[in-house]
Amino acid sequence: MHKMGIRSIALILIVLLAATSCSKKKRPTSLKPGKTSSKTGLAYNGKDGFEVKNFKALPAGPDLVYIEGGRFTMGSLEEEVMGRRDNEKRTVSINSFYMDQTEVANVHYLEYLNAVQRDSSEEFYAKALPDTNVWYNELSFNDSYVTMYLRHPGFRLYPVVGVSWVQANDYCAWRTAAVSQANNTAGQAAGKKKGFAISKKKRAAKADAAAVASSGPAPQLRIESGYVMPPYRLPTEAEFEYAAMAMIGTQYSDENQSNQRIYPWDGSTMRQPRGRKQGTMLANFKRGPGDYAGIAGKSNDGAIITQEIRAYPANDFGLYDMAGNVSEWVEDVYRPGSNKDVADLNSYRRNGFQDEAKNYDTKNSNSMINDNLRVYKGGSWSDVAYWLSPGTRRYMDQDSSTAMVGFRCAMIATGTHKN
C-alpha cells in the first residue's frame, strides 16, 4: 500500500509537470507566435495569405555589442571649464541597442572604398575619399601621414580619420546593404553554415529565399519576413554617452547606484590603479602641452598619434576607445539648449524642430549655429583629459573633417534580447 501511494503521487507529479510544460509551450512569443491568432482564433498562414511564421532570430551584425538600456544621468560631470553650459545634467532613459565594439578602422573604410569604386560612379567615389590632408600642418612635419596613414598596411587597424559626418552616414548605408547581402547569401546555404544561415526545414521565408536565389537583381525582402536586418547608423548623442559611461553593475538592488563615473572607468585617475599593468594609461590622450605620450620606455599611453583599435582596456559594456584615440561623430545636430528641450526617453536632437537655426544671427557672424552643425564626442589623441569625459560635447560642420575625429556604427535592438 505504501508503495502504491508513492507511485500514485509520482504519477500525479509527472502529469502536473507535463501539463505545466505544455502550457508553457503554448504561450505565444514574438519568435514563436503559434499557429492561430490568440484574438480571433483564425489560422495563420492560411488561404487569406496572412503569413505569421516561426523564425530563428538573426544574430547581431558583425562586431556589434548588445547595450542593455536603462536610466542614467546625462550631461557633463566635469567642471564647466568652457563656460558654455550646453550639457547640464538631467535624467534620461535609453532603450536597448547595439553598438560597434570598436571604431571603424582604415581597413574597414578601404573595404568600403573598394566597393564604391567597383559599383558607383567616379563622382561618388571621389566624395567618399577621406581627406588625408587633415594630417598636414604648416608647423609640423606630419607629411608622411598624408600619404601613408590611410593605405599603408602598418596602419590597417588604426581608426579612420578625415571622414565627415556625411561620409560616415554613407558608410553606414553601404554597410547595411553589404551585411544584408551576406545575410541573404548565407540563407541560400540551407543550413550548411551557422550564424546567418537558416536551416532548410525551418526556413520561414521560403518564398523570399527562393527569390533571392534566382538570377537577376536581388529583390527587397519584406520586413515581415524577419530576415531584414535593421539599418546601421551613427549612434545618437544620448546612446554614445550612455554606452561610454557603462554604469552597468554599479547599482545596488534598490536601483541606487554606488558611484558615478567621470570617465568610462571608475575613479578620477587616467592610469590602471592595480594589477600587472598598474600605472599604464587607460586611454590615448594628450597629457598636457607638448606631451602626447610621456617618456619612452615608461608608463605612458604608447601612442604619439592614434593607436590600434583594442589597444586599451574595454569598458564594462565591452566597448573599446569610448574615450581617447579619436573623437566620434554622433547623429545629433548641435544646439546649445539641447539639455532643456529634448525628450527624456531616447533623447535625440534633430534639425528643423524647436530652437530653429533662423533664431541665430549667423548672417552677421554673431553665431555659428545652423542645421549643418553635428556633435562629436569622446576625446582624441590630441585632447586633454577633460574631453574624455562622456558628458563633454563639441560640434563641427557635417561636411568638415579632422585628424582627431572618426566614427563607429550603432543599430536598434529588435524584440527581446533574451530570445
Short mmCIF file of all heavy atoms in Angstrom, two decimals, residues 49-94:
data_model
loop_
_atom_site.label_atom_id
_atom_site.label_comp_id
_atom_site.label_asym_id
_atom_site.label_seq_id
_atom_site.Cartn_x
_atom_site.Cartn_y
_atom_site.Cartn_z
N GLY A 49 -3.69 34.41 -46.99
CA GLY A 49 -2.36 34.92 -47.32
C GLY A 49 -1.65 35.67 -46.22
O GLY A 49 -0.56 36.22 -46.44
N PHE A 50 -2.23 35.68 -45.01
CA PHE A 50 -1.57 36.37 -43.90
C PHE A 50 -0.53 35.45 -43.27
O PHE A 50 -0.88 34.46 -42.63
CB PHE A 50 -2.59 36.83 -42.86
CG PHE A 50 -1.99 37.60 -41.72
CD1 PHE A 50 -1.25 38.75 -41.95
CD2 PHE A 50 -2.17 37.18 -40.41
CE1 PHE A 50 -0.71 39.47 -40.90
CE2 PHE A 50 -1.63 37.89 -39.35
CZ PHE A 50 -0.89 39.04 -39.60
N GLU A 51 0.76 35.77 -43.46
CA GLU A 51 1.84 34.91 -43.01
C GLU A 51 2.37 35.37 -41.65
O GLU A 51 2.78 36.53 -41.49
CB GLU A 51 2.98 34.90 -44.03
CG GLU A 51 2.61 34.25 -45.35
CD GLU A 51 3.80 34.13 -46.29
OE1 GLU A 51 4.90 34.56 -45.89
OE2 GLU A 51 3.63 33.60 -47.39
N VAL A 52 2.37 34.48 -40.70
CA VAL A 52 2.97 34.73 -39.38
C VAL A 52 3.70 33.45 -39.00
O VAL A 52 3.16 32.59 -38.30
CB VAL A 52 1.90 35.08 -38.32
CG1 VAL A 52 2.57 35.42 -36.99
CG2 VAL A 52 1.05 36.24 -38.77
N LYS A 53 4.93 33.32 -39.47
CA LYS A 53 5.65 32.07 -39.29
C LYS A 53 6.71 32.19 -38.19
O LYS A 53 7.19 33.27 -37.88
CB LYS A 53 6.32 31.66 -40.61
CG LYS A 53 5.32 31.38 -41.72
CD LYS A 53 6.00 30.88 -42.97
CE LYS A 53 4.98 30.55 -44.05
NZ LYS A 53 5.62 30.03 -45.27
N ASN A 54 7.05 31.03 -37.64
CA ASN A 54 8.14 30.99 -36.68
C ASN A 54 9.45 31.30 -37.40
O ASN A 54 9.60 31.05 -38.60
CB ASN A 54 8.25 29.61 -36.04
CG ASN A 54 7.04 29.27 -35.19
OD1 ASN A 54 6.22 30.13 -34.89
ND2 ASN A 54 6.92 28.01 -34.79
N PHE A 55 10.36 31.87 -36.68
CA PHE A 55 11.68 32.07 -37.27
C PHE A 55 12.72 32.12 -36.18
O PHE A 55 12.44 32.43 -35.02
CB PHE A 55 11.72 33.36 -38.12
CG PHE A 55 11.82 34.63 -37.31
CD1 PHE A 55 13.03 35.30 -37.16
CD2 PHE A 55 10.70 35.17 -36.71
CE1 PHE A 55 13.11 36.46 -36.43
CE2 PHE A 55 10.77 36.34 -35.98
CZ PHE A 55 11.98 36.99 -35.83
N LYS A 56 13.93 31.79 -36.55
CA LYS A 56 15.06 31.85 -35.62
C LYS A 56 15.66 33.24 -35.72
O LYS A 56 16.05 33.68 -36.79
CB LYS A 56 16.10 30.79 -35.99
CG LYS A 56 17.26 30.73 -34.99
CD LYS A 56 18.22 29.61 -35.37
CE LYS A 56 19.37 29.55 -34.36
NZ LYS A 56 20.33 28.47 -34.71
N ALA A 57 15.73 33.93 -34.59
CA ALA A 57 16.20 35.32 -34.59
C ALA A 57 17.59 35.41 -35.17
O ALA A 57 18.48 34.61 -34.86
CB ALA A 57 16.19 35.88 -33.17
N LEU A 58 17.78 36.39 -36.02
CA LEU A 58 19.10 36.60 -36.60
C LEU A 58 20.07 37.09 -35.54
O LEU A 58 19.70 37.88 -34.67
CB LEU A 58 19.02 37.65 -37.71
CG LEU A 58 18.26 37.26 -38.97
CD1 LEU A 58 18.15 38.45 -39.90
CD2 LEU A 58 18.93 36.11 -39.67
N PRO A 59 21.31 36.65 -35.59
CA PRO A 59 22.30 37.20 -34.66
C PRO A 59 22.61 38.64 -35.01
O PRO A 59 22.31 39.11 -36.10
CB PRO A 59 23.53 36.30 -34.89
CG PRO A 59 23.36 35.79 -36.29
CD PRO A 59 21.88 35.66 -36.51
N ALA A 60 23.18 39.36 -34.07
CA ALA A 60 23.58 40.74 -34.33
C ALA A 60 24.61 40.77 -35.45
O ALA A 60 25.32 39.79 -35.69
CB ALA A 60 24.14 41.36 -33.07
N GLY A 61 24.71 41.90 -36.12
CA GLY A 61 25.70 42.05 -37.17
C GLY A 61 27.12 41.93 -36.64
O GLY A 61 27.35 42.02 -35.43
N PRO A 62 28.08 41.73 -37.51
CA PRO A 62 29.47 41.58 -37.08
C PRO A 62 29.96 42.76 -36.24
O PRO A 62 29.66 43.91 -36.54
CB PRO A 62 30.23 41.51 -38.42
CG PRO A 62 29.23 41.07 -39.41
CD PRO A 62 27.92 41.63 -38.95
N ASP A 63 30.65 42.46 -35.15
CA ASP A 63 31.31 43.42 -34.27
C ASP A 63 30.36 44.18 -33.37
O ASP A 63 30.79 44.99 -32.54
CB ASP A 63 32.17 44.42 -35.07
CG ASP A 63 33.23 45.10 -34.21
OD1 ASP A 63 33.96 44.37 -33.52
OD2 ASP A 63 33.32 46.34 -34.22
N LEU A 64 29.05 43.96 -33.47
CA LEU A 64 28.11 44.69 -32.64
C LEU A 64 28.03 44.10 -31.23
O LEU A 64 28.07 42.88 -31.06
CB LEU A 64 26.72 44.69 -33.27
CG LEU A 64 26.55 45.51 -34.55
CD1 LEU A 64 25.12 45.37 -35.07
CD2 LEU A 64 26.89 46.97 -34.34
N VAL A 65 27.91 44.97 -30.25
CA VAL A 65 27.77 44.58 -28.85
C VAL A 65 26.40 45.03 -28.36
O VAL A 65 25.97 46.16 -28.63
CB VAL A 65 28.88 45.23 -27.99
CG1 VAL A 65 28.66 44.94 -26.51
CG2 VAL A 65 30.25 44.75 -28.44
N TYR A 66 25.71 44.15 -27.65
CA TYR A 66 24.39 44.48 -27.12
C TYR A 66 24.55 45.40 -25.92
O TYR A 66 25.27 45.09 -24.97
CB TYR A 66 23.64 43.21 -26.71
CG TYR A 66 22.29 43.47 -26.10
CD1 TYR A 66 21.21 43.85 -26.90
CD2 TYR A 66 22.07 43.33 -24.73
CE1 TYR A 66 19.95 44.09 -26.35
CE2 TYR A 66 20.82 43.55 -24.17
CZ TYR A 66 19.78 43.93 -24.99
OH TYR A 66 18.54 44.17 -24.44
N ILE A 67 23.87 46.55 -25.96
CA ILE A 67 23.89 47.52 -24.86
C ILE A 67 22.51 47.52 -24.21
O ILE A 67 21.54 47.99 -24.81
CB ILE A 67 24.24 48.93 -25.37
CG1 ILE A 67 25.52 48.92 -26.22
CG2 ILE A 67 24.37 49.89 -24.19
CD1 ILE A 67 26.76 48.49 -25.49
N GLU A 68 22.42 46.97 -23.01
CA GLU A 68 21.14 46.94 -22.32
C GLU A 68 20.75 48.35 -21.88
O GLU A 68 21.54 49.06 -21.26
CB GLU A 68 21.22 46.02 -21.10
CG GLU A 68 19.90 45.90 -20.35
CD GLU A 68 19.99 45.01 -19.14
OE1 GLU A 68 21.08 44.44 -18.90
OE2 GLU A 68 18.98 44.90 -18.41
N GLY A 69 19.55 48.75 -22.23
CA GLY A 69 19.11 50.11 -21.94
C GLY A 69 18.79 50.34 -20.47
O GLY A 69 18.76 49.40 -19.66
N GLY A 70 18.55 51.57 -20.13
CA GLY A 70 18.21 51.92 -18.75
C GLY A 70 18.23 53.41 -18.53
O GLY A 70 18.34 54.21 -19.48
N ARG A 71 18.16 53.80 -17.27
CA ARG A 71 18.17 55.21 -16.87
C ARG A 71 19.59 55.62 -16.53
O ARG A 71 20.36 54.85 -15.97
CB ARG A 71 17.28 55.37 -15.64
CG ARG A 71 17.21 56.77 -15.06
CD ARG A 71 16.70 56.71 -13.63
NE ARG A 71 17.68 56.07 -12.76
CZ ARG A 71 17.38 55.42 -11.64
NH1 ARG A 71 16.13 55.28 -11.27
NH2 ARG A 71 18.33 54.87 -10.90
N PHE A 72 19.95 56.86 -16.86
CA PHE A 72 21.24 57.38 -16.43
C PHE A 72 21.20 58.90 -16.39
O PHE A 72 20.27 59.53 -16.89
CB PHE A 72 22.36 56.87 -17.34
CG PHE A 72 22.58 57.66 -18.61
CD1 PHE A 72 23.74 58.41 -18.80
CD2 PHE A 72 21.64 57.65 -19.63
CE1 PHE A 72 23.94 59.12 -19.97
CE2 PHE A 72 21.84 58.36 -20.80
CZ PHE A 72 22.99 59.10 -20.97
N THR A 73 22.21 59.46 -15.77
CA THR A 73 22.33 60.91 -15.69
C THR A 73 23.17 61.40 -16.85
O THR A 73 24.38 61.15 -16.91
CB THR A 73 22.97 61.35 -14.35
OG1 THR A 73 22.18 60.85 -13.28
CG2 THR A 73 23.05 62.86 -14.26
N MET A 74 22.51 62.05 -17.79
CA MET A 74 23.20 62.57 -18.98
C MET A 74 23.68 63.99 -18.72
O MET A 74 23.01 64.76 -18.06
CB MET A 74 22.25 62.54 -20.17
CG MET A 74 22.88 62.94 -21.48
SD MET A 74 21.69 62.79 -22.86
CE MET A 74 22.72 63.33 -24.22
N GLY A 75 24.85 64.31 -19.25
CA GLY A 75 25.38 65.66 -19.08
C GLY A 75 26.78 65.63 -18.49
O GLY A 75 27.26 64.61 -18.03
N SER A 76 27.39 66.76 -18.47
CA SER A 76 28.78 66.87 -18.04
C SER A 76 28.90 66.79 -16.53
O SER A 76 28.23 67.53 -15.80
CB SER A 76 29.39 68.18 -18.55
OG SER A 76 30.74 68.27 -18.13
N LEU A 77 29.75 65.89 -16.06
CA LEU A 77 30.04 65.78 -14.64
C LEU A 77 31.33 66.50 -14.28
O LEU A 77 31.69 66.60 -13.11
CB LEU A 77 30.15 64.30 -14.24
CG LEU A 77 28.90 63.45 -14.50
CD1 LEU A 77 29.15 62.01 -14.12
CD2 LEU A 77 27.72 64.00 -13.73
N GLU A 78 32.04 66.98 -15.27
CA GLU A 78 33.26 67.74 -15.06
C GLU A 78 32.91 69.20 -14.79
O GLU A 78 31.82 69.68 -15.13
CB GLU A 78 34.16 67.65 -16.30
CG GLU A 78 34.92 66.34 -16.42
CD GLU A 78 36.21 66.37 -15.63
OE1 GLU A 78 36.16 66.73 -14.43
OE2 GLU A 78 37.26 66.04 -16.19
N GLU A 79 33.85 69.92 -14.23
CA GLU A 79 33.68 71.36 -14.06
C GLU A 79 33.58 71.99 -15.44
O GLU A 79 34.34 71.66 -16.34
CB GLU A 79 34.86 71.94 -13.29
CG GLU A 79 34.73 73.42 -13.00
CD GLU A 79 35.91 73.97 -12.21
OE1 GLU A 79 36.76 73.16 -11.80
OE2 GLU A 79 35.98 75.20 -12.03
N GLU A 80 32.64 72.90 -15.61
CA GLU A 80 32.37 73.51 -16.92
C GLU A 80 33.43 74.55 -17.24
O GLU A 80 33.20 75.77 -17.15
CB GLU A 80 30.97 74.11 -16.91
CG GLU A 80 30.49 74.68 -18.25
CD GLU A 80 30.50 73.67 -19.37
OE1 GLU A 80 29.53 72.94 -19.52
OE2 GLU A 80 31.50 73.62 -20.10
N VAL A 81 34.61 74.07 -17.65
CA VAL A 81 35.72 74.99 -17.90
C VAL A 81 35.51 75.81 -19.16
O VAL A 81 36.08 76.89 -19.31
CB VAL A 81 37.06 74.21 -18.00
CG1 VAL A 81 37.38 73.54 -16.68
CG2 VAL A 81 37.02 73.19 -19.13
N MET A 82 34.69 75.29 -20.08
CA MET A 82 34.43 76.01 -21.32
C MET A 82 33.39 77.12 -21.13
O MET A 82 33.29 78.02 -21.96
CB MET A 82 33.95 75.06 -22.42
CG MET A 82 34.95 73.95 -22.76
SD MET A 82 36.53 74.60 -23.33
CE MET A 82 36.04 75.30 -24.88
N GLY A 83 32.60 77.03 -20.07
CA GLY A 83 31.61 78.06 -19.79
C GLY A 83 30.45 78.12 -20.75
O GLY A 83 29.74 79.12 -20.79
N ARG A 84 30.20 77.05 -21.51
CA ARG A 84 29.10 77.07 -22.49
C ARG A 84 27.77 76.66 -21.87
O ARG A 84 26.72 77.01 -22.39
CB ARG A 84 29.43 76.15 -23.67
CG ARG A 84 30.54 76.67 -24.57
CD ARG A 84 30.45 76.05 -25.95
NE ARG A 84 30.64 74.62 -25.92
CZ ARG A 84 31.68 73.97 -26.45
NH1 ARG A 84 32.64 74.67 -27.03
NH2 ARG A 84 31.77 72.67 -26.41
N ARG A 85 27.81 75.87 -20.84
CA ARG A 85 26.60 75.39 -20.16
C ARG A 85 25.60 74.78 -21.16
O ARG A 85 24.39 75.04 -21.10
CB ARG A 85 25.93 76.52 -19.38
CG ARG A 85 26.82 77.13 -18.31
CD ARG A 85 26.09 78.13 -17.45
NE ARG A 85 26.99 78.72 -16.46
CZ ARG A 85 27.31 78.17 -15.30
NH1 ARG A 85 26.80 77.00 -14.99
NH2 ARG A 85 28.13 78.77 -14.46
N ASP A 86 26.12 74.00 -22.08
CA ASP A 86 25.26 73.42 -23.12
C ASP A 86 24.98 71.94 -22.89
O ASP A 86 24.42 71.28 -23.77
CB ASP A 86 25.89 73.63 -24.49
CG ASP A 86 27.21 72.88 -24.66
OD1 ASP A 86 27.76 72.41 -23.65
OD2 ASP A 86 27.68 72.76 -25.80
N ASN A 87 25.36 71.42 -21.74
CA ASN A 87 25.09 70.00 -21.48
C ASN A 87 24.95 69.75 -19.98
O ASN A 87 25.64 68.92 -19.40
CB ASN A 87 26.21 69.12 -22.05
CG ASN A 87 25.73 67.70 -22.32
OD1 ASN A 87 24.55 67.45 -22.46
ND2 ASN A 87 26.66 66.77 -22.37
N GLU A 88 24.03 70.48 -19.37
CA GLU A 88 23.80 70.32 -17.95
C GLU A 88 23.16 68.97 -17.65
O GLU A 88 22.50 68.38 -18.49
CB GLU A 88 22.91 71.46 -17.44
CG GLU A 88 23.56 72.83 -17.60
CD GLU A 88 22.63 73.96 -17.21
OE1 GLU A 88 21.52 73.66 -16.70
OE2 GLU A 88 22.99 75.13 -17.41
N LYS A 89 23.32 68.51 -16.43
CA LYS A 89 22.87 67.17 -16.06
C LYS A 89 21.35 67.06 -16.06
O LYS A 89 20.64 67.96 -15.67
CB LYS A 89 23.40 66.82 -14.66
CG LYS A 89 24.90 66.63 -14.61
CD LYS A 89 25.36 66.20 -13.24
CE LYS A 89 25.25 67.35 -12.24
NZ LYS A 89 25.79 66.96 -10.92
N ARG A 90 20.85 65.90 -16.55
CA ARG A 90 19.43 65.58 -16.48
C ARG A 90 19.29 64.06 -16.59
O ARG A 90 20.18 63.38 -17.12
CB ARG A 90 18.61 66.27 -17.58
CG ARG A 90 18.86 65.78 -19.00
CD ARG A 90 19.99 66.49 -19.65
NE ARG A 90 20.04 66.26 -21.09
CZ ARG A 90 21.09 66.59 -21.83
NH1 ARG A 90 22.14 67.16 -21.29
NH2 ARG A 90 21.06 66.38 -23.14
N THR A 91 18.19 63.53 -16.09
CA THR A 91 17.94 62.09 -16.09
C THR A 91 17.16 61.71 -17.34
O THR A 91 16.13 62.30 -17.65
CB THR A 91 17.15 61.66 -14.85
OG1 THR A 91 17.90 61.99 -13.68
CG2 THR A 91 16.89 60.17 -14.87
N VAL A 92 17.69 60.73 -18.08
CA VAL A 92 17.01 60.23 -19.29
C VAL A 92 17.08 58.71 -19.29
O VAL A 92 17.86 58.10 -18.56
CB VAL A 92 17.65 60.79 -20.58
CG1 VAL A 92 17.60 62.31 -20.61
CG2 VAL A 92 19.09 60.31 -20.72
N SER A 93 16.27 58.10 -20.12
CA SER A 93 16.28 56.65 -20.30
C SER A 93 16.57 56.32 -21.76
O SER A 93 16.10 57.01 -22.67
CB SER A 93 14.95 56.02 -19.89
OG SER A 93 14.76 56.10 -18.50
N ILE A 94 17.34 55.26 -21.95
CA ILE A 94 17.74 54.82 -23.28
C ILE A 94 17.27 53.39 -23.50
O ILE A 94 17.49 52.53 -22.64
CB ILE A 94 19.27 54.89 -23.46
CG1 ILE A 94 19.78 56.30 -23.17
CG2 ILE A 94 19.68 54.45 -24.86
CD1 ILE A 94 19.25 57.36 -24.10
#
